[in-house]
Amino acid sequence: MANFSFSPSDSSIFILTGIPGLEDDHIWISIPFSAFYILGLLGNFTVLFVVGKEQTLHKPMYLLLCMLALSDITTSTSFVPKALCIFWFNLKSITMKSCLTQMFFFYAFSTMHSAVLVTMAFDRYVAVCNPLRYATILTNARIAKLGLVCLTRAVLFILPMPLLLSRQPFCANRIIPHTYCDHIAVAKVSCGDITASRVYGMLMAFVIIGFDLTLIGLSYGLIIRTLLRMSSKEANQKALKTCTAHICALLMSYPLGLLSSLSHRFGQGITPHVHIILSNLNYLIPPMLNPIIYGINTKDLRDKVAKYICRMYSPQGTYFKPA
């Protein structure tokens, strides 16, 4: 756990309102929230279990998929349980220490999620543009080191956000109109000068997303150049198919995330509950759909999952390999 240095007001209590303006509908809103969360956990833990059990799947691509699953699980788990406590039991209070700790883990894991998507883009670049050297360039040990780099980057970039806020004085009205301790929402409760926190938060959002999207764009630019040079249409389609799942994961993560971030910072005319719903969906829908997308598009993983499902429901353990 991260240890933050707190001011004398660290015993203060914040109030998370949930979704402002829709308090009477919290019970109904909790149904899709909890469903998305449970399905996401089920799908991602299935990926982790199957890849962990099957030696044939101990390959760079599947290790990256496990890293993506872990980042999805940890990001959603950092805020959904508290949100459901608000929806179901009206437990809206949270201490300053808990709030800033939640903020750290939420943003750190979501930043790592973005870094994993960049690493997966590099994996697809090597697979398509340099397939003969794939096994030597991307080894399991190298993937583990890249994962450590992703985690280190996330911690170093995100740690200053709660640290800056921990030194701020907070007003008597400590009501946060959100389901979790969003950085900007918490900063607005402060009575002090939040310029440094606001600038750092905005800078990190644009630097991290901008840098990651640049690397992803570069990888896919080189992939497209290689595809255009291929003379065989069949080889072209096969190479493109290997990128389909990753492209879908990118389209789920970045557009919704950018829309949520920009609307929260610059969309003053947008109803507050729209901000909150967009922000929550951005961290609920991708974790739920990523295992499905990769399961459908990755034959080896699909076959192994089908094998374990058949073992569960067939007394004799009979397994019929899908076509």
Side-chain angles (χ1 to χ4, degrees):
M1 296 288 283
N3 291 316
F4 303 119
S5 175
F6 294 96
S7 63
S9 62
D10 69 314
S11 60
S12 61
I13 301 295
F14 292 153
I15 302 297
L16 291 167
T17 63
I19 301 179
L22 298 177
E23 287 85 356
D24 293 339
D25 299 317
H26 273 176
I27 291 294
W28 297 106
I29 293 171
S30 71
I31 296 173
F33 263 61
S34 56
F36 293 164
Y37 178 60
I38 291 168
L39 288 172
L41 289 181
L42 181 62
N44 285 295
F45 275 120
T46 299
V47 169
L48 292 173
F49 172 78
V50 172
V51 174
K53 292 284 286 185
E54 293 292 333
Q55 289 290 330
T56 56
L57 297 183
H58 291 181
K59 299 175 182 177
M61 184 179 78
Y62 297 104
L63 295 182
L64 285 171
L65 188 54
C66 285
M67 287 164 57
L68 185 69
L70 280 172
S71 65
D72 279 337
I73 290 169
T74 50
T75 301
S76 58
T77 301
S78 67
F79 78 97
V80 172
K82 179 59 182 177
L84 292 178
C85 284
I86 296 170
F87 295 156
W88 290 341
F89 310 113
N90 205 35
L91 298 176
K92 298 181 178 182
S93 63
I94 184 170
T95 64
M96 179 180 175
K97 184 175 182 178
S98 298
C99 186
L100 295 185
T101 302
Q102 184 199 54
M103 180 191 299
F104 169 74
F105 283 108
F106 173 76
Y107 285 108
F109 288 130
S110 59
T111 299
M112 185 171 177
H113 180 273
S114 181
V116 172
L117 288 175
V118 174
T119 310
M120 295 177 89
F122 176 67
D123 170 78
R124 292 302 84 204
Y125 157 72
V126 176
V128 174
C129 301
N130 212 339
L132 297 179
R133 296 186 58 203
Y134 179 87
T136 56
I137 295 174
L138 287 177
T139 61
N140 288 351
R142 192 159 291 166
I143 291 297
K145 290 177 182 177
L146 287 172
L148 185 60
V149 170
C150 293
L151 179 60
T152 303
R153 185 192 80 150
V155 171
L156 292 178
F157 280 8
I158 299 303
L159 190 58
M161 292 169 65
L163 285 178
L164 286 170
L165 286 176
S166 69
R167 289 164 171 76
Q168 290 288 332
F170 287 92
C171 307
N173 182 21
R174 301 187 182 98
I175 297 175
I176 302 171
H178 216 300
T179 54
Y180 60 87
C181 291
D182 176 76
H183 176 250
I184 295 298
V186 175
K188 288 179 179 178
V189 181
S190 172
C191 296
D193 183 7
I194 61 169
T195 303
S197 285
R198 186 184 287 272
V199 170
Y200 186 81
M202 188 175 297
L203 185 65
M204 282 300 98
F206 282 106
V207 166
I208 292 170
I209 295 175
F211 180 72
D212 290 354
L213 284 178
T214 299
L215 291 180
I216 291 169
L218 180 62
S219 295
Y220 274 96
L222 294 172
I223 288 172
I224 291 170
R225 187 183 69 173
T226 301
L227 292 178
L228 293 175
R229 290 178 176 178
M230 288 182 177
S231 56
S232 170
K233 186 177 180 181
E234 184 179 347
N236 192 305
Q237 291 177 344
K238 184 178 179 181
L240 186 60
K241 189 177 180 181
T242 65
C243 301
T244 303
H246 184 246
I247 292 171
C248 290
L250 292 174
L251 291 175
M252 283 190 301
S253 295
Y254 286 109
L256 190 57
L258 283 170
L259 178 63
S260 173
S261 180
L262 292 173
S263 67
H264 193 67
R265 285 175 168 81
F266 306 111
Q268 285 79 11
I270 301 176
T271 310
H273 70 259
V274 175
H275 290 299
I276 312 305
I277 291 172
L278 273 176
S279 179
N280 282 271
L281 289 179
N282 180 47
Y283 298 104
L284 282 171
I285 291 178
M288 177 183 66
L289 295 182
N290 279 337
I292 298 172
I293 290 169
Y294 276 94
I296 291 172
N297 287 280
T298 312
K299 186 178 184 299
D300 289 344
L301 180 62
R302 184 175 69 242
D303 289 349
K304 299 301 182 183
V305 171
K307 181 181 79 172
Y308 281 102
I309 291 174
C310 288
R311 282 182 180 177
M312 286 173 59
Y313 292 101
S314 174
Q316 291 79 25
T318 306
Y319 167 56
F320 299 97
K321 187 176 180 179

